[in-house]
């Protein structure tokens, strides 16, 4: 299959042609351990923006290298920013775009996911980790703190005690500890993490895109709201889906003992 228009590899990202609705994006700055420059983040946000508009793409897998997923914010770039530079930094707005990607985003993490690298993995909806993965927020060693959601997403995902330990000590956790704490969904061998993430993305890509979109939105909304409001939000989305052709197709296919043919409407 050809690459859909607008979806080409960039200076810092390798894109594999989408197959079965899944786009694979690989961070590609190995010489700097995939440190996240502003340019890289802009490129990633643009690729996700294109992917969100492209009907051939139902899910995206993001990965890094074999030994380093991403080493965090680019410290050479960060060193040049004073307080006014940080105040005027465009990166929070770029991260916000990445966070708003409406389709499923799966991270396949091998090796180090540190600082902004761990934060990028946490922007994914699901993390599959190779058993060599190490997750950490080592910013404290630089006399700074996480600045791309690391404190907020980590504490909501792994709980207070482990988040405090990671952010205050800078100590890393292993793939298995990350799985036990809920940061990671599955641990595989390092060789298998990307293929497992792609297989999972394909399973998701075969569902009704409308139901997937609503499920992701409602699940993420749980981080933002009280239980009663979240339950109402869930019920509204459930109700909206009752008006879709896909919902009728899904239920009828089950009752008629056949495979559903979802059209995304
Ligand atoms: N920024 C810029 N360059 C980086 C980098 C980073 N975060 N991490 C590594 N590099 C560069 C190194 O400077 C080095 O460059 P040179 O060859 O020009 O000297 C090259 O990548 C190789 O680095 P190492 O020799 O350290 O590679 P390694 O394989 O031995 O170790 C590593 C890999 C464990 C990831 C180690 O590089 C490391 O600890 N990196 C820094 C991790 C870190 O502190 N991250 C937090 C950044 S702050 C942040 O992310 C804030 C935020 O919340 C957004």
């Amino acid at each position: 299959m050809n690459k859909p228009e607008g979806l080409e590899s960039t200076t810092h990202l390798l894109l594999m042609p989408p197959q079965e609705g899944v786009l694979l994006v690989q961070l590609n700055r190995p010489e700097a351990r995939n440190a996240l420059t502003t340019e890289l983040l802009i490129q990633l946000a643009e690729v996700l923006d294109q992917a969100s508009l492209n009907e051939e793409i139902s899910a995206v897998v993001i990965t890094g290298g074999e030994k380093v997923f991403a080493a965090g914010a680019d410290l050479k770039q960060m060193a040049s920013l004073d307080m006014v530079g940080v105040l005027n930094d465009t990166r929070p707005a770029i991260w916000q775009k990445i966070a708003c990607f409406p389709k499923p985003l799966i991270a396949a993490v091998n090796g180090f996911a540190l600082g902004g690298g761990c934060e990028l993995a946490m922007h994914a909806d699901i993390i599959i980790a190779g058993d060599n993965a190490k997750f950490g927020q080592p910013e404290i060693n630089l006399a700074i703190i996480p600045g791309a959601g690391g404190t907020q997403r980590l504490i909501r995902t792994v709980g207070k005690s482990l988040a405090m330990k990671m952010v205050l000590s800078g100590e890393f956790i292993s793939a298995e500890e990350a799985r036990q704490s809920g940061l990671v969904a599955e641990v595989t061998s390092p060789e298998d993490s990307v293929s497992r993430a792609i297989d999972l993305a394909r399973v998701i890509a075969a569902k009704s895109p409308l139901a997937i979109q609503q499920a992701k939105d409602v699940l993420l909304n749980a981080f933002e709201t009280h239980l009663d409001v979240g339950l109402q939000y869930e019920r509204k989305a459930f109700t909206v889906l009752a008006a879709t052709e896909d919902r009728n197709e899904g239920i009828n296919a089950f009752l008629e003992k056949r495979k559903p043919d979802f059209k995304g409407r």
Side-chain angles (χ1 to χ4, degrees), residues 12-248:
H12 301 320
L13 302 175
L14 285 178
L15 270 59
M16 314 305 158
Q19 285 185 344
E20 294 177 50
V22 178
L23 175 71
L24 175 63
V25 179
Q26 182 173 22
L27 307 176
N28 187 32
R29 286 192 77 215
E31 71 289 354
R33 304 301 185 264
N34 292 333
L36 305 170
T37 56
T38 303
E39 295 72 33
L40 186 152
L41 289 172
I42 289 173
Q43 289 172 14
L44 180 59
E46 280 176 2
V47 163
L48 293 179
D49 194 37
Q50 292 291 329
S52 72
L53 299 171
N54 193 310
E55 286 181 8
E56 281 182 44
I57 296 169
S58 301
V60 174
V61 171
I62 183 165
T63 193
E66 287 173 17
K67 296 196 174 143
V68 182
F69 174 73
D74 189 287
L75 292 169
K76 289 172 190 158
Q77 234 175 26
M78 193 184 278
S80 67
L81 292 182
D82 59 10
M83 192 185 79
V84 174
V86 174
L87 277 174
N88 291 327
D89 197 356
T90 54
R91 294 165 62 99
I94 307 167
W95 280 111
Q96 185 58 21
K97 282 189 185 170
I98 295 169
C100 288
F101 180 56
K103 296 178 181 178
L105 178 63
I106 302 182
V109 175
N110 287 332
F112 294 103
L114 304 180
C118 186
E119 290 168 309
L120 176 59
M122 285 192 284
H123 276 69
D125 302 309
I126 300 170
I127 303 176
I128 305 293
D131 61 19
N132 66 344
K134 297 263 180 227
F135 295 85
Q137 298 289 161
E139 289 90 343
I140 205 72
N141 298 327
L142 310 169
I144 56 173
I145 66 169
T151 59
Q152 302 306 296
R153 288 197 175 87
L154 200 58
I155 202 162
R156 282 165 170 76
T157 307
V158 306
K160 177 182 165 189
S161 191
L162 186 54
M164 285 282 184
K165 184 182 96 158
M166 290 173 69
V167 173
L168 301 188
S169 74
E171 281 185 11
F172 305 158
I173 59 170
S174 67
E176 188 47 36
E177 287 172 285
R179 191 193 62 75
Q180 283 168 14
S181 64
L183 180 60
V184 154
E186 282 180 31
V187 178
T188 66
S189 67
E191 304 78 52
D192 290 338
S193 61
V194 174
S195 58
R196 173 59 186 140
I198 290 173
D199 284 350
L200 187 59
R202 284 186 183 147
V203 168
I204 293 169
K207 314 290 183 201
S208 163
L210 298 172
I212 292 291
Q213 178 202 64
Q214 292 301 306
K216 170 168 172 165
D217 183 40
V218 169
L219 282 161
L220 286 180
N221 188 58
F223 281 136
E224 313 287 343
T225 194
H226 297 294
L227 179 62
D228 57 346
V229 178
L231 290 171
Q232 285 173 35
Y233 195 62
E234 179 193 79
R235 195 66 199 172
K236 293 262 192 249
F238 182 84
T239 306
V240 164
L241 288 171
T244 67
E245 283 179 29
D246 279 358
R247 180 264 206 182
N248 293 340

